[in-house]
Amino acid sequence: MTALAAPVAAGLIDPFTPFAVPFLGRPLLLLVALAVAAATVGVLVHLRRLEFSTDGLTHAVFPGLAIGAAAGGAAGLLPGAIGAALAAAVVLALISRRGQPRDTAVAIVLTTFFSFGVVLVSASDRSGGSISDFFFGRLLTITWGDLGVALALISIAVALVVVTGRQQLFAAFDAAGARRAGLPVLALEVIGTVAIALVVVAASASVGTLLALAVVIVPAAAARALTRSLRTAMAVAIAFGAVTGWAGLWVVVQLAELGVDAAPGATVALTMIVGYLLALGVGALRGRRARAADRREVAA
């Protein structure tokens, strides 16, 4: 039973106004912060087509989790994940700059780090349930300390992207031109990858590493399906992430009222996917109408 099922069953939480209690307010605040990250870091991921890189980073944190659990138990998970994510981000950028295709570099980093993590877990007797929490999420049981660390990571990631935003966009659309213009393309790539890694670790504290990809990428992808303006896409991504995060928690409360103990992180991720499919449908409908209007204008 989750932290939510018992209070709802006892009638302690109104399922239609569930966020007045702290253990639901903290997850919602974190999901809103991740929506802001999706509107900045996620848009960078989408523009530079780094979705596979982000997936690789979500798996590359595994050895950090194993080391953190072995060294400090549950308290060591987050520092271990941060260290592994930053190391993977730097290695990924360096390998991709050595002439290797980006996908090849991601596959190498993912395989190396994940395999190292498996070896560490198999050789350790102190890893266990805490690591599974990090994999599958503990959205309803995050503490104020967890929230503070996650917000700090998100703030640093967003600041890195905002400060280097113009250069990142230049490199995203024309890497060769950025090099000729004297921009530090390798440094920009490292900064962008580090920002992604920080958001991945922050998302892992809520929905888990296996679902962090949805929180980072889906809002930005939905925004791009609805608009072609970068500024508008960022605003839409924030709204999309916040609304679908709230809706996912609301669904969890409703299911708990019915006696169904649904995994909160996975429910939020699935709610985002449903929202993305709706955004695709709306975008396709708008595109069809725009093309029909263009044909009528040409005919006239």
Side-chain angles (χ1 to χ4, degrees):
M1 178 175 289
T2 65
L4 185 62
V8 169
L12 299 178
I13 299 176
D14 179 357
F16 295 100
T17 57
F19 305 116
V21 292
F23 76 89
L24 285 172
R26 288 191 296 267
L28 181 60
L29 181 58
L30 179 56
L31 289 172
V32 171
L34 288 171
V36 175
T40 51
V41 180
V43 168
L44 174 65
V45 169
H46 190 68
L47 289 177
R48 300 196 66 172
R49 299 180 180 179
L50 299 177
E51 288 85 357
F52 185 44
S53 299
T54 306
D55 186 34
L57 288 173
T58 63
H59 291 78
V61 301
F62 187 36
L65 297 177
I67 294 173
L77 287 176
L78 199 56
I82 294 172
L86 294 178
V90 173
V91 171
L92 178 60
L94 292 176
I95 292 178
S96 63
R97 288 290 296 164
R98 291 292 182 178
Q100 294 290 334
R102 181 79 180 189
D103 288 351
T104 301
V106 173
I108 291 172
V109 170
L110 187 157
T111 303
T112 302
F113 277 66
F114 196 78
S115 299
F116 184 48
V118 171
V119 171
L120 290 176
V121 169
S122 63
S124 173
D125 58 358
R126 292 195 60 187
S127 58
S130 55
I131 287 185
S132 69
D133 288 342
F134 222 81
F135 269 135
F136 300 107
R138 47 191 178 91
L139 184 58
L140 298 183
T141 59
I142 60 172
T143 64
W144 286 113
D146 297 331
L147 179 62
V149 172
L151 292 179
L153 295 177
I154 292 170
S155 299
I156 294 171
V158 171
L160 289 174
V161 173
V162 170
V163 170
T164 62
R166 291 182 180 275
Q167 294 90 339
Q168 293 283 2
L169 290 177
F170 191 178
F173 288 106
D174 187 2
R179 292 190 186 92
R180 288 193 295 271
L183 292 181
V185 176
L186 176 58
L188 290 173
E189 189 168 342
V190 171
I191 290 171
T193 310
V194 167
I196 296 169
L198 293 175
V199 175
V200 164
V201 173
S204 300
S206 56
V207 297
T209 57
L210 297 180
L211 296 171
L213 194 66
V215 176
V216 177
I217 291 177
V218 173
R224 293 295 291 172
L226 294 172
T227 179
R228 296 303 174 191
S229 167
L230 184 59
R231 290 183 181 275
T232 306
M234 294 176 69
V236 171
I238 293 175
F240 179 92
V243 170
T244 54
W246 181 91
L249 288 177
W250 183 84
V251 169
V252 172
V253 174
Q254 301 305 306
L255 291 175
E257 177 74 4
L258 298 173
V260 178
D261 190 14
T267 303
V268 169
L270 287 175
T271 305
M272 289 186 171
I273 296 299
V274 171
Y276 171 67
L277 294 176
L278 292 175
L280 281 181
V282 172
L285 181 61
R286 290 175 58 184
R288 189 176 298 113
R289 288 179 176 176
R291 288 191 295 271
D294 289 341
R295 285 195 295 268
R296 289 194 297 269
E297 184 177 348
V298 170

